[in-house]
């Protein structure tokens, strides 16, 4: 084999430049990437203009990123890569709650609330009581688990997408399970919303005539000492986009039962109009 680059030996030539002090895992990941990337180029044979368009696309993807706009995560999401990595890393389940994409709208410093608090600060949307327990796969309660929740508002935007329009920290909060593993909060019935499509990822979806909506959901990140951190959603059962999620995040087990409850006493206790919607959802954690 020549030291010089040839189409035939392109993979070997590039892989052959790796030095003896290379990090083993980095070498494995990049050797594999080069192998598949060169195979893709040899099969797809982009023109020079198409190649330049691709480079420019990635440049634009970087340039539009800021503290609140994560276009690279979005690109990984719409290509199904986020869900593939996520699914391959959580294959062996024995009754635990399934995970799904994190998405770009999580922020770690949401306000901490007590059981029953209302996280819907803009008062929009249909009120909903969301509650359940954090348990292990034998049904035993996990007290003191931290639940971080976030969702879009009735207009289909997260608070961080509408600074100065929505109240800060609208529809997000941190809760802790009690001694019986119980948690609960008031929110708004989620609705579907478009992923940000005014950037390069939006251009890609338009070029492919693809849906840019996500089915209605509520995000959860649940952590407890001794258990694997769980990143998941619950989806509403009646959303028209369940079978066509722009980022492939729907798993059947995450579609929840949002019931209408007619119970004036309970409604008064919760501070909700009667009848009201509720969803009971137990979070089953996997041992670390
Ligand atoms: C989200 O659910 O917040 C989300 C996930 C992936 C891409 C865009 C948004
Ligand atoms: Fe979301």
């Amino acid at each position: 084999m020549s030291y010089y680059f040839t189409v035939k030996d392109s993979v070997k030539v590039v892989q052959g430049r790796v030095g003896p002090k290379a990090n083993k895992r980095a070498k494995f990941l990049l050797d594999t990437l080069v192998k598949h990337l060169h195979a893709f180029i040899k099969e797809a044979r982009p023109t020079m203009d198409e190649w330049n368009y691709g480079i420019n696309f990635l440049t634009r993807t970087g340039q539009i990123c800021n503290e609140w706009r994560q276009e690279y995560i979005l690109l990984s999401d719409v290509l199904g890569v986020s869900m593939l990595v996520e699914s391959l890393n959580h294959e062996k389940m024995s009754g635990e709650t399934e995970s799904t994409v994190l998405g770009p709208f999580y922020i770690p410093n949401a306000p901490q609330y007590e059981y029953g608090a209302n996280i819907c600060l803009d008062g929009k949307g249909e009120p909903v009581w969301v509650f359940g327990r954090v348990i292990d796969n034998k049904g035993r309660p996990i007290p003191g688990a931290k639940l971080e929740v976030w969702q879009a508002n009735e207009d289909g935007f997260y608070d961080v997408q509408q600074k100065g329009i929505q109240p800060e920290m609208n529809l997000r909060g941190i809760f802790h399970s009690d001694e019986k593993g119980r948690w609960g909060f008031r929110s708004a019935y989620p609705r579907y919303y478009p992923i940000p499509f005014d950037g390069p990822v939006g251009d890609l979806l338009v070029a492919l005539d693809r849906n840019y909506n996500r089915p209605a959901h509520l995000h959860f990140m649940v952590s407890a000492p001794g258990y694997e951190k769980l990143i998941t959603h619950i989806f509403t059962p009646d959303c028209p986009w369940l079978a066509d999620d722009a980022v492939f995040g729907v798993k059947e087990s995450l579609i929840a039962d949002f019931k209408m409850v007619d119970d004036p006493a309970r409604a008064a206790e919760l501070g909700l109009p009667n009848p009201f919607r509720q969803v009971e959802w137990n979070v089953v954690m996997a041992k670390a």
Side-chain angles (χ1 to χ4, degrees), residues 70 73-75 77-78 82 101-106 150-152 158 193-196 214-215 217 219 233 245-247:
Q70 301 287 349
I73 297 184
L74 208 56
L75 180 59
D77 294 342
V78 302
S82 306
V101 281
L102 172 66
F105 300 122
Y106 167 76
W150 67 104
Q151 68 169 88
Y158 285 82
Y193 63 86
I195 62 170
R214 289 224 63 207
H217 59 272
H219 291 259
H233 300 356
D245 182 357
V247 304

Side-chain angles (χ1 to χ4, degrees), residues 64-268:
I64 204 170
C65 289
N66 60 33
E67 202 185 343
W68 306 117
R69 181 75 185 251
Q70 301 287 349
E71 198 77 356
Y72 274 110
I73 297 184
L74 208 56
L75 180 59
S76 164
D77 294 342
V78 302
L79 293 176
V81 173
S82 306
M83 275 308 284
L84 188 54
V85 173
E86 193 283 316
S87 301
L88 288 171
N89 277 284
H90 298 100
E91 260 181 333
K92 292 181 214 85
M93 304 288 294
S94 39
E96 294 90 358
T97 302
E98 289 197 281
S99 49
T100 186
V101 281
L102 172 66
F105 300 122
Y106 167 76
I107 53 176
N109 56 337
Q112 297 230 18
Y113 290 114
E114 296 297 319
Y115 183 92
N118 188 357
I119 62 169
C120 181
L121 308 182
D122 64 3
K124 290 184 175 177
E126 181 191 357
V128 59
W129 169 237
V130 188
F131 72 104
R133 293 197 310 146
V134 183
I135 53 179
D136 68 12
N137 65 6
K138 304 221 163 50
R140 294 175 295 215
I142 303 177
K146 179 183 184 190
L147 294 100
E148 295 172 86
V149 301
W150 67 104
Q151 68 169 88
N153 81 344
E154 181 62 10
D155 301 325
F157 295 102
Y158 285 82
D159 55 352
V160 294
Q161 294 177 287
Q162 289 196 313
K163 290 197 163 280
I165 298 174
Q166 288 188 40
E168 288 245 346
M169 303 289 174
N170 189 29
L171 292 162
R172 57 176 85 234
I174 301 178
F175 294 85
H176 287 88
S177 58
D178 71 7
E179 73 288 350
K180 293 194 168 132
R182 292 173 302 199
W183 55 271
F185 60 91
R186 286 167 291 159
S187 188
Y189 191 64
R191 53 150 280 167
Y192 67 84
Y193 63 86
I195 62 170
F197 61 90
D198 57 343
V201 170
D203 296 348
L204 182 152
L205 296 179
V206 170
L208 296 175
D209 189 22
R210 268 181 54 174
N211 165 45
Y212 47 72
N213 288 298
R214 289 224 63 207
H217 59 272
L218 235 156
H219 291 259
F220 284 79
M221 184 186 287
V222 188
S223 20
Y227 294 88
E228 243 179 63
K229 181 188 280 190
L230 172 69
I231 295 170
T232 193
H233 300 356
I234 55 179
F235 292 92
T236 65
D238 54 357
C239 184
W241 298 111
L242 274 177
D244 190 12
D245 182 357
V247 304
F248 312 99
V250 180
K251 291 180 177 172
E252 214 168 344
S253 69
L254 302 179
I255 302 172
D257 190 11
F258 287 74
K259 290 189 171 71
M260 282 309 290
V261 178
D262 186 358
D263 182 343
R266 183 67 179 142

